[in-house]
Amino acid sequence: MMNMNEIVGTHDILMITLDTLRYDVAKLEEDNCPHLCASDGWEKRHSPGSFTYAAHHAFFGGFLPTPANTDKDSHIRLFHGKHSGFRTHPYTWLFDAPDIVSGLAQEGYRTICIGGVIFFTKKNKLAKVLPAYFQESYWRMTFGVTNPRSTEHQVNHALQLLDGADLEQRLFLFLNVSAIHGPNHYFIPNHIRKDSIETQRAALRYVDGELGRLFAAFRKRKRPTLCLVFSDHGTAYGEDGYEGHRLAHEVVWNVPYREFIL
């Protein structure tokens, strides 16, 4: 485990949620994702929520996906609220705030959200809750699930923000990638209008190609960047009769997770 007390304050932080990406799909595509899996493969973890809204509240509270094993010594949190009563670790960064976003802001970070799926659209009161965690939040129709080039547009927006950012100020940039969420059938040309494991695999390959540009931009920053990349939940494509998510099936609860330094 990296010492988060040596990370916070010295590193930029990039958190990316690959919305709805299944763990088994991520593993199948490891060799085809040179940017997301440049030095290592995916770790299997359990999500704290079965759909976007629930999972992200947990993430911003410091409850990232939990290692999918029974070894409690490996269940060490990177972020932990102070005075919570839970057991902590010397390498855990303790924040004195309701959530990690405002906790990082208290440490001088500029906090930015680039939304993707419906819960980040700010189109109604419910869809304003998650973006409100951040000092700055952005969403466009071109960032959403119906646009086949959504990740390209999201990354382009992030690059514009990075280009104008003060190199002296630390950044916490959060990106909710919408492309892997359904509908994703259009990532296989002339495919039937039905999402599947194969179409999600194709969407992940597309996303990996676009995120390479974002990683390259962060490498040009003045300081190193901690990258936290994971899925918020998976989705069912007919397993045991289930379709979709917001349900208790292993394909929903098992998610891919990676943390690495740029």
Side-chain angles (χ1 to χ4, degrees):
M1 175 186 173
M2 61 184 71
N3 188 340
M4 287 302 295
N5 294 297
E6 296 177 355
I7 297 290
V8 174
T10 61
H11 290 53
D12 290 327
I13 301 176
L14 173 61
M15 179 184 287
I16 300 174
T17 51
L18 302 171
D19 208 293
T20 316
L21 177 61
R22 292 167 46 141
Y23 172 75
D24 56 354
V25 168
K27 290 296 289 184
L28 288 169
E29 287 299 315
E30 278 182 340
D31 292 341
N32 299 318
C33 293
H35 303 293
L36 286 168
C37 300
S39 59
D40 203 356
W42 292 105
E43 178 186 353
K44 182 180 180 180
R45 293 204 173 193
H46 292 150
S47 174
S50 64
F51 71 112
T52 300
Y53 190 73
H56 281 78
H57 275 297
F59 300 153
F60 297 150
F63 298 91
L64 302 187
T66 306
N69 59 56
T70 57
D71 178 11
K72 294 299 183 182
D73 290 336
S74 71
H75 295 197
I76 299 171
R77 289 170 55 188
L78 300 181
F79 310 98
H80 206 305
K82 287 184 176 180
H83 315 302
S84 64
F86 293 108
R87 182 170 64 93
T88 60
H89 187 277
Y91 286 179
T92 301
W93 178 64
L94 301 178
F95 56 94
D96 191 13
D99 55 87
I100 63 172
V101 186
S102 54
L104 289 170
Q106 290 175 1
E107 294 293 322
Y109 280 80
R110 176 185 173 190
T111 64
I112 304 170
C113 169
I114 298 179
V117 303
I118 190 171
F119 293 111
F120 296 92
T121 63
K122 298 188 282 187
K123 287 188 172 183
N124 56 45
K125 291 182 178 180
L126 180 66
K128 293 178 180 179
V129 174
L130 294 174
Y133 279 100
F134 295 83
Q135 295 167 337
E136 303 171 38
S137 60
Y138 304 93
W139 188 85
R140 308 283 186 273
M141 282 291 295
T142 54
F143 298 173
V145 298
T146 60
N147 193 300
R149 296 168 57 192
S150 59
T151 311
E152 174 189 349
H153 296 301
Q154 289 180 298
V155 170
N156 285 345
H157 192 81
L159 296 184
Q160 292 176 5
L161 295 174
L162 289 174
D163 187 55
D166 182 355
L167 292 177
E168 297 294 333
Q169 185 170 30
R170 291 152 292 171
L171 296 180
F172 173 50
L173 176 62
F174 168 76
L175 173 62
N176 172 250
V177 172
S178 68
I180 299 167
H181 190 289
N184 54 45
H185 56 80
Y186 43 63
F187 287 103
I188 297 182
N190 303 315
H191 189 74
I192 59 173
R193 294 179 61 85
K194 182 175 176 60
D195 294 351
S196 66
I197 286 177
E198 292 305 314
T199 61
Q200 191 176 88
R201 291 179 67 174
L204 177 58
R205 293 192 295 271
Y206 159 74
V207 168
D208 180 80
E210 294 298 333
L211 290 181
R213 299 187 295 128
L214 181 60
F215 294 157
F218 268 97
R219 287 190 178 98
K220 295 178 182 178
R221 295 269 300 164
K222 187 171 183 177
R223 59 183 59 82
T225 300
L226 168 64
C227 291
L228 302 170
V229 187
F230 48 89
S231 174
D232 54 346
H233 57 80
T235 198
Y237 293 123
E239 289 84 3
D240 298 313
Y242 288 104
E243 294 284 348
H245 39 273
R246 201 163 52 85
L247 52 90
H249 192 282
E250 64 177 356
V251 297
V252 174
W253 292 109
N254 293 336
V255 296
Y257 177 94
R258 283 209 66 206
E259 58 187 54
F260 53 94
I261 301 292
L262 293 174

